[in-house]
Amino acid sequence: MESPHGAALSAEDFGLKGPRGWAFRGVEFTAGPGSLVAVEGPSGSGRTCLLLALTGRMRSTQGRAEVGGERLPGRLAAVRGFSALGPVPGVSELDPSFTVAEHLRERALLRRRFDGSLRSLLRPRAERAATARATIDTALESAGLDPATLPKAERTSVRDLERLEALRLSVALALMGRPRLLALDDTDLKLSAADRALAWELLRSLAADGTTVLAVCSEAPEDALTVRTRPAAGTDASADDTTTGKGTADAIAETGRA
């Protein structure tokens, strides 16, 4: 039975072939709502492409998947509607020149403009501001980011954040949309062993609260449901990972907004 919050995931012979060959193929797994799913593999093995395909940002070309009761590749827009991206290079990166407060305000404004009802848009400004602040505070708490501990509180620039702090900010921004599926790329990249443990602790807590978490990593924790990708036979691994830069932007443009 589908959870009203977390999204169940499943894939059967799931694959994606691009201009340079297969990014990934033959992926099969099943995960219930509120699962912590780790996509493990080396760079170039199509990890990010799989993440983007399962969140409706890239169109698969082989097999099928089901996310939150929606079939892929047919229901891309529906899946995008209840999934959110944390940090994904070339897709949902933080602007290093922005402060923490600027990122939070921008996301709150975007949510109010695109996700709010007409009734909510007509509420008094003070009421709208209070609602936005409450949403921000809840997301920050869930992501484990306390602005008071930052060098300049919410006025701290992203470029001055530690890697784990930036990860928490990206997660907080994604959580403001109350997604059923949260997806993150390069979860353990450039993290010390201690910070890596804290990052996985955060993702476990989100999954325990009911949000399904899909996290790309180089090494999955033992308690996660691990999905492994690998380059298809006869494919140049360095060439088939089209998940960064212009390749990703072009692919997403074909399926809709990120």
Side-chain angles (χ1 to χ4, degrees):
M1 181 176 178
E2 184 63 31
S3 166
H5 186 59
L9 302 174
S10 65
E12 182 179 343
D13 194 28
F14 199 50
L16 188 154
K17 187 175 185 179
R20 293 182 167 183
W22 288 98
F24 65 87
R25 68 187 307 184
V27 172
E28 299 198 12
F29 73 97
T30 300
S35 294
L36 173 59
V37 182
V39 181
E40 182 185 82
S43 177
S45 62
R47 303 173 306 173
T48 310
C49 282
L50 176 58
L51 178 148
L52 293 173
L54 288 172
T55 55
R57 273 75 176 179
M58 297 183 80
R59 183 179 294 276
S60 59
T61 55
Q62 174 179 282
R64 66 180 185 179
E66 188 169 304
V67 181
E70 303 290 351
R71 289 287 182 90
L72 294 175
R75 299 280 292 169
L76 295 170
V79 172
R80 289 197 299 272
F82 59 75
S83 64
L85 299 180
V88 179
V91 181
S92 58
E93 295 173 298
L94 298 173
D95 188 325
S97 66
F98 274 29
T99 65
V100 171
E102 287 170 336
H103 270 294
L104 293 168
R105 283 199 302 268
E106 179 186 57
R107 185 59 58 92
L109 287 171
L110 288 172
R111 283 196 66 248
R112 191 169 71 207
R113 179 175 180 182
F114 295 108
D115 300 330
S117 65
L118 179 60
R119 182 177 180 180
S120 67
L121 293 174
L122 294 176
R123 289 183 302 175
R125 179 178 298 179
E127 186 178 341
R128 295 200 308 268
T131 299
R133 187 67 246 182
T135 299
I136 289 172
D137 290 343
T138 299
L140 287 172
E141 182 178 1
S142 297
L145 181 63
D146 182 0
T149 65
L150 302 178
K152 296 181 181 179
E154 287 194 3
R155 294 183 294 109
T156 303
S157 295
V158 166
R159 64 168 59 93
D160 296 325
L161 296 177
E162 299 292 338
R163 162 69 179 162
L164 181 59
E165 293 169 340
L167 177 67
R168 291 186 187 277
L169 176 58
S170 290
V171 169
L173 294 172
L175 292 178
M176 287 173 65
R178 299 181 180 88
R180 297 171 60 197
L181 171 63
L182 171 67
L184 308 86
D185 197 11
D186 290 335
T187 303
D188 52 5
L189 180 67
K190 296 182 180 179
L191 289 180
S192 66
D195 284 350
R196 189 179 305 121
L198 290 173
W200 286 114
E201 181 181 322
L202 165 63
L203 301 186
R204 287 188 194 95
S205 71
L206 296 176
D209 285 342
T211 302
T212 303
V213 178
L214 183 67
V216 166
C217 61
S218 58
E219 185 176 352
E222 292 183 358
D223 59 338
L225 190 162
T226 303
V227 177
R228 292 182 175 85
T229 58
R230 57 187 59 84
T235 300
D236 179 1
S238 64
D240 80 351
D241 192 356
T242 59
T243 61
T244 57
K246 187 174 183 295
T248 298
D250 290 346
I252 290 176
E254 293 179 1
T255 59
R257 64 181 178 86

